[in-house]
Amino acid sequence: MPEDEMPKEVAYRMIKDELSLDGNPMLNLASFVTTYMEEEAERLMTESLPKNFIDYEEYPQTAEIQNRCVSMIGRLFNAPVKDSEAVGAVGTSTVGSSEAIMLAVLAMKKRWKNKRIAEGKSVDHPNIVMSSAVQVCWEKATRYFEVEEKLVYCTRDRYVIDPQETVDLVDENTIGICAILGTTYTGEYEDVKAVNDLLVKKGLDTPIHVDAASGGFVAPFVVPDLEWDFRLERVVSINVSGHKYGLVYPGVGWVVWRSAEYLPQELVFNINYLGADQASFTLNFSKGASQVIGQYYQLIRLGKHGYRCIMSNLTRTADYLAESLAALGFIIMSKKSGEGLPLVAFRLKEDADRNYDEFALAHQLRVRGWVVPAYTMAPKTDGLKMLRIVVREDFSRNRCDGLINDIRLCQGLLDQMDKDSIKKQQEFIHKNHVTSGKASHNHPKYRVSAATRRRNTRCRVRRGRRTLSAESSPSRPDSGSDAGSEYDSESGSGDGNYYSADYEEHDRERKECPLCQSASEGQRNELKEAMTDLDATTDDGTLVLEERLSRPNDQSSRSPVASTTGKATYNHLSSSRHCGRKTLARGKKHQGKSTGQTFSLELPGGKKLLTLRIGA
């Protein structure tokens, strides 16, 4: 944190210029999150920024607007109409579907626990049945709240749960079943009705929670006759993301329960220290009101007809894209004609003569500016690789045609490259280009190598995670340990070893470098200390100059060389990468009355490398 303030114009320009290095949200086809809203909606949201949503006494109309949104969404999901105090849907806004799912899992676990205690039975081993293709927030919920996972695994030709296998996994410790309306991998809707009917047929009173994070604002308008919501008697709660196809900027989500009996009273807290008695049953407390206002704007601005037009148009665009990709020779894995989300999941046909895979194609598209994710399918699908394109409101037909042309061009380029060239290109991209591979915001303890990150994508079965498949015994305490052992024994001969060898080579070069050897012993010690600090925060060299202004009480100010530090890759710091990876760019600082600050960066030997003027 700087010691002194700066002009607001300078602060704005500095941050704006830095943010300009981010990607273009409209070309990010990996995300479901809304990237466009009308100016009127943005203005309303901006005007609501100072409001703390939780303060119902101060902002009663904002609280009323949330209740209206919950009512509209509940009716959209065919929730029972309130005719008494005990009957009628209840719900709340959340930061996103992750919080909504946490609340739903807590409610199911608490109801199961209360029932078991009343029957005098053990409450030690709660479990939940769900697909192996669930979003990571479900893994978080089960781990945070100590609920065992019973996974229904996908196959190479089935990407959703099998209803019969799902119901067969239910036992007396099952707190509920998760059904997904639009999976993350392929966008396909799981057969909630079939699961419900099997539970009713078997006489099982197991509740169903529908994860409609993506499909909750799509299915009611595109396939209104599809039964997946509160029309099914075993469905007790539904979550939906307003910031996905609800068409609101992130982050807002919603969770709705069939009636108050499915939200245990123990999870509702009553407070009065904000000026009035009010109930709270969210995980967080304070939050902005802007996203709720934005959701209300979209609901009343568009209405059912507006949402129907937008979602139908997105579905037609997705179908057009799927047909075009199929004409290029891709295998389409997602559903069309409204049977799934408006997205296209696809993969390359198996060809022994082809030298590239889906990841190489994704990297080549990134060069053209498109962010099209390549990933592997859920566990136990033989490492099936695929790509996915999410069709959002701002993805026009013209932009779709541009993407198709770029895919065709990238395929043609990769077809002309031999296997060795593609391999070298991939190594270069993993080392120097992919942003996530150079992230420095993670603590070193929790940072994983690129090789481990790819293995995590291929196999989401982690060590210590207890999973049960349909054929495994519920009483087996170490179920799933074989998968974990197989994962842990996987070879680490990826980027981790590559980087290790690379660092050793640079260390040898650094010792032989005359410029490095010309520094005094004190300078080398300072360099060593600084490089140790940098080792803990960066994986490889990036041109980042971090200024640390010298103070009168700073020891470094006694030296003619100021204490400006940096992780720099420049000239000698670039051409001889042993210094460019982790070194100190040192310079003299000069103060100007009205021209800002000037820094002269020098090598340890005294040679001036760069003059940088800031804040003129």
Side-chain angles (χ1 to χ4, degrees):
M1 186 175 181
E3 185 67 29
D4 301 317
E5 67 276 9
M6 66 174 66
K8 60 181 183 295
E9 296 85 2
V10 175
Y12 173 81
R13 175 54 61 182
M14 284 179 61
I15 299 174
K16 182 177 177 65
D17 289 347
E18 187 170 357
L19 292 177
S20 67
L21 299 176
D22 281 340
N24 184 348
M26 292 187 179
L27 299 182
N28 180 10
L29 305 182
S31 175
F32 289 92
V33 175
T34 297
T35 54
Y36 166 78
M37 291 184 73
E38 293 174 331
E39 290 184 6
E40 290 76 9
E42 292 179 342
R43 195 179 313 134
L44 274 173
M45 295 173 71
T46 302
E47 293 169 355
S48 302
L49 284 175
K51 294 184 179 181
N52 184 5
F53 173 78
I54 201 64
D55 196 343
Y56 300 157
E57 175 69 11
E58 183 72 19
Y59 310 112
Q61 203 57 36
T62 300
E64 174 61 23
I65 285 176
Q66 178 203 234
N67 294 338
R68 293 177 190 171
C69 291
V70 170
S71 179
M72 289 188 227
I73 294 171
R75 290 174 183 270
L76 184 65
F77 297 162
N78 295 288
V81 178
K82 181 177 181 179
D83 55 16
S84 70
E85 290 297 325
V87 180
V90 295
T92 183
S93 64
T94 59
V95 176
S97 276
S98 292
E99 183 187 3
I101 286 169
M102 301 283 179
L103 293 172
V105 171
L106 275 175
M108 289 190 292
K109 182 181 178 182
K110 180 61 69 172
R111 288 190 72 244
W112 170 84
K113 184 177 180 179
N114 292 343
K115 180 181 178 182
R116 298 282 289 180
I117 291 175
E119 297 172 349
K121 297 179 180 179
S122 172
V123 295
D124 293 337
H125 302 289
N127 66 66
I128 187 170
V129 180
M130 57 189 185
S131 169
S132 62
V134 291
Q135 213 261 1
V136 69
C137 61
W138 282 97
E139 297 182 59
K140 291 180 179 180
T142 56
R143 193 172 303 179
Y144 293 166
F145 304 138
E146 297 182 336
V147 178
E148 189 177 33
E149 298 174 357
K150 282 190 173 184
L151 299 180
V152 181
Y153 288 99
C154 301
T155 65
R156 286 187 65 89
D157 54 3
R158 175 177 56 77
Y159 313 127
V160 293
I161 59 173
D162 176 77
Q164 185 64 54
E165 185 178 350
T166 301
V167 176
D168 289 344
L169 287 173
V170 173
D171 59 24
E172 63 178 2
N173 291 322
T174 301
I175 67 172
I177 296 173
C178 163
I180 309 173
L181 192 73
T183 65
T184 300
Y185 289 90
T186 64
E188 187 175 350
Y189 299 151
E190 294 186 335
D191 196 343
V192 187
K193 187 177 188 305
V195 175
N196 177 86
D197 293 346
L198 285 172
L199 289 173
V200 174
K201 182 179 179 181
K202 288 191 171 186
L204 298 174
D205 190 24
T206 305
I208 298 174
H209 174 84
V210 179
D211 182 0
S214 300
F217 279 109
V218 178
F221 304 110
V222 179
V223 282
D225 295 332
L226 179 67
E227 294 185 35
W228 60 272
D229 50 22
F230 291 120
R231 286 171 287 184
L232 306 175
E233 59 183 291
R234 292 293 187 267
V235 174
V236 301
S237 54
I238 300 172
N239 71 275
V240 63
S241 291
H243 57 231
K244 292 183 180 178
Y245 290 109
L247 307 180
V248 183
Y249 289 144
V252 60
W254 304 90
V255 58
V256 181
W257 286 271
R258 174 183 288 272
S259 66
E261 68 174 293
Y262 297 103
L263 178 61
Q265 183 65 37
E266 302 96 304
L267 300 181
V268 181
F269 297 86
N270 294 285
I271 60 172
N272 62 3
Y273 48 74
L274 289 179
D277 292 328
Q278 62 186 65
S280 173
F281 53 97
T282 53
L283 293 181
N284 71 303
F285 195 64
S286 295
K287 68 175 181 180
S290 299
Q291 268 62 30
V292 173
I293 302 300
Q295 184 71 81
Y296 185 61
Y297 173 88
Q298 295 288 46
L299 290 174
I300 66 172
R301 158 75 173 91
L302 297 173
K304 292 182 179 179
H305 182 266
Y307 270 97
R308 190 178 299 113
C309 290
I310 291 173
M311 300 308 157
S312 298
N313 184 53
L314 296 183
T315 301
R316 287 192 294 269
T317 302
D319 290 348
Y320 170 75
L321 178 59
E323 293 170 359
S324 300
L325 291 174
L328 292 177
F330 290 98
I331 297 175
I332 306 301
M333 303 171 64
S334 52
K335 298 290 185 179
K336 295 194 297 184
S337 302
E339 295 181 16
L341 298 176
L343 63 80
V344 181
F346 59 103
R347 59 186 173 91
L348 295 165
K349 289 183 178 179
E350 296 183 3
D351 185 356
D353 297 330
R354 189 181 58 246
N355 295 322
Y356 62 92
D357 62 2
E358 288 79 358
F359 289 90
L361 179 57
H363 289 144
Q364 202 63 44
L365 285 170
R366 186 64 183 264
V367 175
R368 304 285 296 178
W370 302 101
V371 181
V372 178
Y375 52 92
T376 50
M377 192 57 191
K380 298 196 175 182
T381 54
D382 301 328
L384 191 64
K385 299 177 183 178
M386 58 186 295
L387 299 110
R388 186 193 68 198
I389 298 172
V390 177
V391 178
R392 297 191 304 270
E393 184 184 8
D394 57 356
F395 189 72
S396 63
R397 181 66 69 91
N398 287 339
R399 193 174 298 163
C400 181
D401 287 333
L403 174 63
I404 295 169
N405 288 333
D406 280 345
I407 291 175
R408 185 185 296 111
L409 290 173
C410 291
Q411 274 192 289
L413 177 62
L414 290 170
D415 285 335
Q416 297 174 12
M417 298 173 64
D418 56 36
K419 189 174 183 179
D420 290 338
S421 299
I422 293 176
K423 182 179 179 181
K424 290 179 180 179
Q425 183 191 50
Q426 295 303 299
E427 290 178 351
F428 177 83
I429 289 174
H430 282 305
K431 178 182 174 185
N432 298 301
H433 181 68
V434 181
T435 305
S436 60
K438 298 188 289 188
S440 60
H441 56 273
N442 294 329
H443 190 282
K445 178 180 178 181
Y446 309 114
R447 192 179 305 150
V448 296
S449 66
T452 303
R453 185 162 49 249
R454 288 196 295 273
R455 290 201 301 271
N456 286 348
T457 305
R458 290 198 300 270
C459 180
R460 293 166 57 218
V461 181
R462 272 107 169 152
R463 179 185 298 179
R465 179 167 131 187
R466 303 169 65 189
T467 60
L468 291 173
S469 60
E471 64 272 9
S472 64
S473 170
S475 62
R476 182 181 174 187
D478 61 341
S479 179
S481 60
D482 293 340
S485 300
E486 180 181 355
Y487 163 76
D488 292 324
S489 64
E490 221 175 300
S491 172
S493 58
D495 289 351
N497 289 351
Y498 179 85
Y499 286 139
S500 177
D502 208 26
Y503 280 126
E504 291 175 1
E505 178 186 351
H506 294 167
D507 287 339
R508 288 194 299 269
E509 292 178 358
R510 190 181 293 113
K511 292 179 181 179
E512 300 172 0
C513 175
L515 287 172
C516 293
Q517 293 301 318
S518 65
S520 66
E521 185 65 24
Q523 288 174 328
R524 285 201 295 271
N525 290 337
E526 187 179 351
L527 282 171
K528 182 178 180 181
E529 180 182 353
M531 285 188 289
T532 302
D533 294 336
L534 290 176
D535 279 342
T537 58
T538 184
D539 285 332
D540 46 43
T542 312
L543 183 57
V544 181
L545 299 179
E546 298 181 342
E547 63 168 307
R548 185 183 66 199
L549 302 183
S550 60
R551 306 295 172 201
N553 59 350
D554 191 349
Q555 295 295 326
S556 61
S557 64
R558 301 174 186 173
S559 167
V561 182
S563 59
T564 301
T565 64
K567 291 162 277 184
T569 311
Y570 199 87
N571 233 336
H572 167 75
L573 306 178
S574 172
S575 60
S576 57
R577 295 186 302 166
H578 58 277
C579 289
R581 185 170 295 274
K582 312 181 205 64
T583 190
L584 284 176
R586 309 171 52 99
K588 298 177 181 179
K589 191 189 87 171
H590 306 281
Q591 293 282 5
K593 293 182 179 179
S594 60
T595 58
Q597 298 171 343
T598 302
F599 297 89
S600 298
L601 302 185
E602 300 177 354
L603 292 174
K607 180 180 179 181
K608 182 177 292 189
L609 195 65
L610 172 69
T611 299
L612 182 67
R613 202 171 90 183
I614 300 177

